[in-house]
Amino acid sequence: MEIMTDQRFRKTAKVFRAALFIGMICAALFFLVYFSIIGYAKILGPPPLAVPQSTLYMADDGSVIGESNSGQKRYWVPLKDISPDLVKATISIEDRNFYAHNGFDYKRIAGAIIADIKAMAKVQGASTITQQYARNLYLEHEKTWKRKLTEAFYTLRLEMNYSKNEILEGYLNTIYYGSGAYGVQAASQFYFGKDARDLTLAEASMLAGVPKGPSIYSPLANEKKANDRQAVVLRSMEIKEYISRAEADEAAEAPLKLVGKHQRDSVGQAPYFQDAVQKELKYTLKLDDRTIALGGLKVYTTVNLEQQQLAEEMVAKHISEDSEIQAGFVAMDPRTGHVKAMVGGRNYEESPFNRAMQAVRQPGSTMKPLLYYAALENGFTPSTTMKSELTTFRFDDGSSEYTPHNFNNKYAEDEITMAQALALSDNVYAVKTHLFLGEEMLVDTAKRFGLSTNMAQVPSLALGTSGVRVLEMASAYSLFANGGQYVEPVLIERVESHDGTVLFEAEESGKQILKPELASVMNHMLTGMFDPKLNGYSSVTGITMVDEMSRPYAGKSGSTNTDSWMIGYTPQLVTAVWTGYDVGKPIVKSTEKVYSKNVWFNFMEKALEDEPAAPFKTAKGTIGVFVNPENGKIATANCPVKRLTYFKDGTEPQEYCTDHLDAGEEHPKKPAKEHEEKPEKKPWYKRIFSL
């Protein structure tokens, strides 16, 4: 018996020693693995906090006009800008020991395991705020062991490298509250129409209960369950001694005003402009789609909200609701190239096609100022005359011919000047000039002005038969307005990352393309469409606007069978308007033919009503001479009409008008120059011209 007992003892001791040895090996392996994980986590350093955030688009005054349309609303706010009641409510209901544990609440984990075993089902969660934050940042919400182990590793790295407040801030900015709202700021705005910092205890306790199940505990989805959940949150806050029983009861009874709407809808303001900005981010700044949508960018644009709203109003007001006519509109600052307003169509939701940037349409006579600038460079002057008569041009030994026609088939009885031809939009004069310069000249000039579309070297190019874009035409005319400097159209001033790092900033551009003195001559010629003094055999094209103009404008209208244009400017603002049918159908109704002018004029008048009426400055190297607009010669005292016309110095007319001189009048010998002063005596020719 003793022998058997001794054998049993030795056997038990052997098993114990083996178990102890195995236990020591397991413990050693555990600590080896544990410290290896710790060491590996330390080597890796802090995990990047690449938190998805909505990209915001700002107007030129810093106000938000829209955001990335990803279906998700994500805005990051610092912890200090979150209601303390919401912070306390979240900690109370989600992780009471948040500030005490190292990322894992082992007591809570054990309790959850026991509860699950008793219920034979998953009934209680044990994830800490840090674990949930790790899941939101780096992982999908699939329930696999691989995901749980990866989550634990990221939790460890977060706790090792970030403070508790940084983790809490990140969690509150990434947790999902339903209805596309991620984070407390988006949720506060959606549910209560206010910022997270302004939430009351009642609102905070209601909101803190939603993440457990947004489709169940949202007050918009199920009011009773939401109220029950709010009571649980308030009780948890009371247990944590964040609030008193009286405060909890008061919050539970407080009425809540629910909004249930995001502050910015999916379209936002200036939708065509926003689309153009997004394309700029993608194709010019080379940002990928995810960064644009959820990179938390702040995109500071050039759009002016007042001018944008005004542009949209003018399009809606002056184009009949019953008409199928569409519109493309661009307003920009010619000094900087900043696009201040853009309308790409009459209804973005019906048609997001941007006619201001994407449509290529025939510009008609709005191409003529580019032609006449080239003519000035090649020896023409505002007083250069040619006959405007019905003319057939024959080419290639008579095998082809071209006959341009003036509007209503009206032609001058005699020669007309280039200034008159521009104001009256004479087509014969334009084609003659084009052919004289050579058909390639206008093609090259259009490229210099920034037009990127293909131009056909044909006689009709002078009349705008090759397509252009509205934005590029506005930019081209800005060269006249700013004295000849080409400035790229600018939609984006600056782009910042979510942490404020400047990713892009527009550089000032201003390459001198035109000769300043010739740009100045063109500016004054382009005021002619509003000047009745240039009225010859028909009215100037802007005659209907003259009586209501509050300031000097320069500009040019244009039309084809299918397109109607008006482009005009002051030194502060250039605006281009196109109207027409998308399908290229002819514009027949007379009321529809004036839509572009009406939109342009009323926009300019209202957009500039608080601005001083700035005159067009004359550049150095120009001279102003009073001429008879009918023949371009120096006007005398007897000329019934005289117009101050600017020329490049040395190209002004030397011949005097003799059509209205009395027989005994002395013939003057010098041209009248604007602003010429003599300290001793007023010049004799000024005495004549001042009569």
Side-chain angles (χ1 to χ4, degrees), residues 77 81-84 86 184-185 188-189 194-199:
V77 288
D81 289 336
I82 300 174
S83 164
L86 181 56
V184 294
Q185 179 71 354
S188 298
Q189 292 178 349
K194 58 174 63 175
D195 292 333
R197 70 171 72 186
D198 300 323
L199 293 174

Side-chain angles (χ1 to χ4, degrees), residues 307-622:
Q307 293 187 20
Q308 177 65 36
Q309 291 166 1
L310 180 60
E312 293 171 2
E313 289 173 10
M314 292 301 104
V315 169
K317 179 179 179 180
H318 294 287
I319 299 180
S320 171
E321 291 182 3
D322 299 328
S323 175
E324 295 179 2
I325 289 281
Q326 278 291 352
F329 179 108
V330 171
M332 63 186 292
D333 186 333
R335 299 162 294 189
T336 61
H338 288 187
V339 175
K340 293 301 176 184
M342 177 183 290
V343 179
R346 295 174 62 188
N347 189 313
Y348 177 84
E349 293 182 340
E350 290 182 2
S351 173
F353 179 69
N354 192 338
R355 297 156 187 84
M357 292 190 67
Q358 295 173 279
V360 177
R361 305 300 296 242
Q362 293 182 352
S365 293
T366 60
M367 182 62 69
K368 291 174 182 175
L370 279 63
L371 169 68
Y372 292 144
Y373 176 81
L376 291 177
E377 285 190 323
N378 287 273
F380 282 60
T381 78
S383 287
T384 298
T385 58
M386 282 192 283
K387 279 191 175 182
S388 174
E389 57 187 0
L390 185 62
T391 305
T392 297
F393 299 91
R394 292 180 173 82
F395 308 93
D396 300 327
D397 299 325
S399 60
S400 62
E401 58 184 40
Y402 174 62
T403 306
H405 297 272
N406 283 345
F407 179 70
N408 287 336
N409 287 310
K410 291 185 178 181
Y411 304 91
E413 296 178 359
D414 202 350
E415 294 185 340
I416 61 170
T417 66
M418 185 163 74
Q420 241 185 341
L422 183 58
L424 304 173
S425 204
D426 188 277
N427 289 337
V428 176
Y429 192 106
V431 173
K432 285 183 175 180
T433 304
H434 177 48
L435 295 177
F436 178 84
L437 296 175
E439 294 172 349
E440 72 284 352
M441 178 67 71
L442 183 52
V443 174
D444 294 339
T445 301
K447 291 179 181 178
R448 289 170 59 195
F449 274 78
L451 303 186
S452 63
T453 49
N454 293 327
M455 298 282 166
Q457 294 187 22
V458 294
S460 62
L461 180 59
L463 309 184
T465 54
S466 287
V468 296
R469 296 182 176 89
V470 177
L471 177 64
E472 290 183 348
M473 288 300 284
S475 178
Y477 273 60
S478 72
L479 270 74
F480 296 132
N482 67 26
Q485 293 189 342
Y486 178 74
V487 288
E488 286 279 351
V490 178
L491 305 178
I492 302 172
E493 286 193 81
R494 188 173 74 259
V495 178
E496 294 180 1
S497 65
H498 68 280
D499 61 1
T501 302
V502 177
L503 304 178
F504 166 81
E505 194 157 15
E507 297 180 358
E508 290 187 9
S509 61
K511 183 179 179 182
Q512 193 71 36
I513 299 295
L514 311 184
K515 296 178 180 179
E517 66 276 14
L518 297 185
S520 184
V521 170
M522 281 302 307
N523 281 335
H524 290 279
M525 273 213 297
L526 284 166
T527 64
M529 74 168 287
F530 307 104
D531 190 349
K533 291 179 181 178
L534 286 171
N535 183 23
Y537 58 92
S538 63
S539 296
V540 291
T541 53
I543 193 66
T544 58
M545 307 177 226
V546 172
D547 291 340
E548 298 180 37
M549 286 171 47
S550 64
R551 66 196 64 237
Y553 292 112
K556 186 74 187 77
S557 59
S559 62
T560 69
N561 287 337
T562 58
D563 304 274
S564 176
W565 291 75
M566 179 63 209
I567 310 175
Y569 57 92
T570 67
Q572 307 110 307
L573 188 66
V574 56
T575 298
V577 183
W578 165 86
T579 57
Y581 294 98
D582 280 337
V583 295
K585 187 171 65 173
I587 303 173
V588 178
K589 296 180 180 179
S590 58
T591 53
E592 293 181 339
K593 292 180 180 180
V594 297
Y595 283 160
S596 59
K597 286 182 180 179
N598 291 341
V599 170
W600 176 86
F601 180 71
N602 287 281
F603 170 82
M604 292 293 284
E605 283 290 302
K606 292 184 181 298
L608 295 170
E609 63 183 357
D610 295 327
E611 297 287 332
F616 293 102
K617 295 181 179 179
T618 54
K620 183 180 180 181
T622 58

Side-chain angles (χ1 to χ4, degrees), residues 177-178 191 206 209-229:
Y177 289 89
Y191 286 105
M206 177 64 76
V210 174
K212 180 178 175 64
S215 62
I216 300 172
Y217 299 110
S218 163
L220 298 171
N222 191 314
E223 185 178 355
K224 183 180 184 307
K225 288 186 177 181
N227 289 333
D228 292 344
R229 180 68 175 163

